[in-house]
Amino acid sequence: MRNSRLMLTLIVIFLMVSSVPLTATAYQNPRTLPDEWGQYGLGDPYVLKFNGYYYLYVSTRDTDDGVKVWSSKDLVNWSYRGLAATDPITHGAYAPEVIYWNGMFYMYTSPAGKGHYVLSSTSPTGPFNVVTGNLGKSIDGHVFMDDDGTFSFYHAAQGRIDAAPMSSPTEIGASSSTGVGMGGWTEGATVFKRNGKYYMTYTGNHVFSNGYRVDVAVSKTGPRSGYATDSTNPVLIRTEGPTVGLGHNSVVMGPNLDTHYMFYHNLEGQGIVGPLRHLNMDRIVWNNDKMLVLGPTSTDQPNPEMPTFYDYFDRSAIGNSWSNVNGGNWGIYNKELMWQNSLGSTTWHKQVSSSSSAVDYTAEFNMKEMNRGTSSNNPRYGATFSYIDENNYGLAMLSSKNKRLETFFRINGVDQAWQTHSLPADFDYSKWHNIRIEKSGSTFKYYVDGMFKAARTANIGAGKIGVLTEDTHADFGFAAFNNDVDGSSAWNVSKPIPGTIEAVHYMKGGEGIAYHDTTATNLGGAYRTDAGDIRLNSEGLFNLGWNQTGEWYKYKVNVESSGYYDIDFRMATTLDGAQIRLWDGATDLTGIINVPNTGGWDKWGNVSRKKVYLNAGQRELRVEFVTGEADFSRMTFQKHADVTSVSDNFNDGNDNGWTRFEGTWAVENGEYSAEGSGPAKSTFGDSGWADYTVEADIKMMDSGGDGGLLVRVTNPSHGTERGQNNYDALQGYYAYLTTSGVSLGKMNYNWALLKNSPQTYSTNTWYHMKVAVNGTTIKVFVDDMVNPKIEYTDNSLNPFTHGKIGVRTANKHTHFDNVSVSP
């Protein structure tokens, strides 16, 4: 009886606990926030990180004054902080952005697109006051500070992004083209620097277009020139589905100190005044220098991770998270900072964290000097890291006396040499500044206010972090460390499916848990320090190499919904007989997949498995190398849709089921007709279609331009609305006729001719065209249905493997009839 009662009690307790709502661990796009602009929403979001907090600013409704601001610790839970600015100059303030420098926050905005003004405040929440006249320039001002402390100002221009040097945060020079643009209207530039390269994200197309999208360009030479567009473009796009019209982004480092996040808005239609838009964010991951956005997402995604250790000092006492070393007079002020005010001694007074980092980590510290002592040595203040004891640690110190950053190590009781690094001449040590340390192996990188200042090596490993003073009164704000560096947090995040997963982003956990590798070390010596064998390939990506029979790698994923998916594995090998398989726990998802000989270790191709059933939610998938050897770069998951035989002869007098975009379309005498100049397209089917054959009769009514069939169409949009003049507003392939031949091209919101075959075709004559797509191979037939006029395999990094069909013309009057699709 006693045991029965105990069991009943436990069951009741379990049910009570189970019924308690759990804290939300996932966010979902798009998002509304309290007190947003009614029927205008959250357009052009810009997020500033300062002292461990985030501040969100958005465009102001055209009928109103003021700039709204929200704050957050975690990028998910936002609190409305009121109007940061109320000056009448903020009437219809477009795309306000805020930077921090030397104790002052500077806001840049273009009221209703009429030039630019700068406002300033001593607080990120305001009040901001106007400090300049109208500085001109077009909309969407953005400011970037380089490693030497110089500023650049970016703004939209017709078809491009322009930039200007700045002599101070309030003075903007003459603008010139950055060479970056999308042809049509281009806006919303954001620039940041990573590993010595400048990344510019920017948005193209009209804000009311579903084809609003984000591209990225990269420069190795400077912040205002030398940019080359990346092969991954567009990095963010969706024209059909739950969210469309995605763009005008900002990029911010997440709470875990290691993950970049892209904030952007989606278009929800016409508001009462202007477009109605809402807030979205998705994680950015990296493979080498490739910026990859894990999105767009519109289902539950894991919340951004907080650091392993962090402290906002938002309490009354220092507490047991810190240990004092070498005394000093320490305290907490106003539940917002920790201070030490003992002067007159050259002792290094320290507070050291109770928690220790891993061997590799990122740490951040915020600090300012309140008063400097008079000692002849060197009054200074700063951070300690990799702290084991008083004989083993590193230091990064700010010296207002010598106007520089100073770095130091003590290892096994032996002092290493001090190294000094200059800071901008106007650097105000009495204001808040940020020190960031990135440790990878024996290399330490030092940043001050985001400016890269130095790298040095030291044979010291894991340890605690802390802050310290030497004959100074200093205040210390948010301090944190996380056991990730240079994007390694991507390894353990649950990547969204549908989506692409980089092979080198397998889980953490080591041999037998996250992977199994038959060699004890990384044979390629690249990217990761565990036993996974990694090299840099010809496509600019790190990949898994030397994969042997029995080896495997696990990946964390977040499956959008239960159902069937198609998977493309990007592989390369010079050997015959390689085989792979995908598992979900003990469930064999794919069976044996044969990997063909691609003819070279850098000749990459896609190996596909269709209609694989995946269960929804966060899961761990395992890629097994069953036999043989092949290099593995990435895998892409797309929703599967069965291709069914469909035909349309238009004899019913309509084009029901087709979606018209540009051009003038009509059904005339049982034929589908596109007339007029410029582009015209109409699409049909399911974006989940993969391998199929489409056929149609095509008649060119005039000699100019071209007309033909679209295959693998995704993300189509109206390319000429609102003055965009984009003939290539889709992703897919176009097989087309001219009077001089048949050609095949690739459309990715730009154009690339893949292959052509010179032929002679006449106007006012029917030709039968067939396009067969299988894997990444495309065959184009005209009249002769046995021998293709064109055969092409798209081995590029971004082949299109799924999509609808369509018909298209460019500057040609063309008729189509008897369109059919078959598996």
Side-chain angles (χ1 to χ4, degrees), residues 476-675:
F476 299 95
F478 177 77
F481 72 77
N482 196 57
N483 297 325
D484 284 295
V485 65
D486 199 24
S488 68
S489 54
W491 307 344
N492 253 26
V493 70
S494 294
K495 294 88 175 168
I497 290 177
T500 296
I501 300 171
E502 304 301 303
V504 294
H505 288 171
Y506 56 89
M507 290 167 44
K508 300 177 183 179
E511 169 63 36
I513 298 173
Y515 64 87
H516 169 56
D517 192 281
T518 55
T519 58
T521 59
N522 180 345
L523 295 180
Y527 189 60
R528 296 178 67 155
T529 58
D530 55 26
D533 302 322
I534 299 174
R535 69 181 180 97
L536 183 63
N537 66 35
S538 59
E539 296 184 322
L541 299 173
F542 291 115
N543 70 262
L544 289 172
W546 299 276
N547 299 299
Q548 304 296 314
T549 299
E551 295 185 343
W552 51 262
Y553 294 86
K554 278 187 180 180
Y555 299 86
K556 291 192 174 184
V557 302
N558 183 24
V559 181
E560 178 180 293
S561 58
S562 296
Y564 290 103
Y565 292 81
D566 297 338
I567 312 172
D568 294 321
F569 299 87
R570 194 151 183 80
M571 313 292 292
T573 182
T574 63
L575 305 174
D576 297 324
Q579 296 177 321
I580 60 173
R581 177 164 44 192
L582 184 68
W583 298 82
D584 180 351
T587 301
D588 180 351
L589 295 175
T590 61
I592 299 294
I593 303 172
N594 295 314
V595 179
N597 186 330
T598 62
W601 293 110
D602 268 323
K603 289 187 177 180
W604 293 92
N606 281 13
V607 180
S608 300
R609 179 65 92 207
K610 301 293 193 298
K611 208 170 184 179
V612 176
Y613 192 87
L614 300 178
N615 287 306
Q618 297 189 36
R619 320 194 66 79
E620 293 179 2
L621 303 185
R622 176 165 54 95
V623 176
E624 175 195 6
F625 293 86
V626 178
T627 189
E629 181 177 347
D631 279 17
F632 175 33
S633 177
R634 59 200 334 205
M635 53 184 168
T636 299
F637 295 77
Q638 300 188 66
K639 285 189 174 180
H640 173 89
D642 289 330
V643 180
T644 56
S645 294
V646 183
S647 63
D648 196 342
N649 59 18
F650 305 103
N651 288 340
D652 57 4
N654 64 59
D655 61 348
N656 291 342
W658 293 81
T659 302
R660 301 178 182 184
F661 291 89
E662 315 91 350
T664 302
W665 289 93
V667 177
E668 301 173 351
N669 302 317
E671 299 169 8
Y672 204 23
S673 169
E675 296 193 36

Side-chain angles (χ1 to χ4, degrees), residues 799-816:
F800 299 129
T801 60
H802 289 69
K804 305 176 183 182
I805 68 160
V807 290
R808 182 185 186 272
T809 70
N811 299 316
K812 180 183 282 293
H813 180 188
T814 308
H815 283 209
F816 301 88

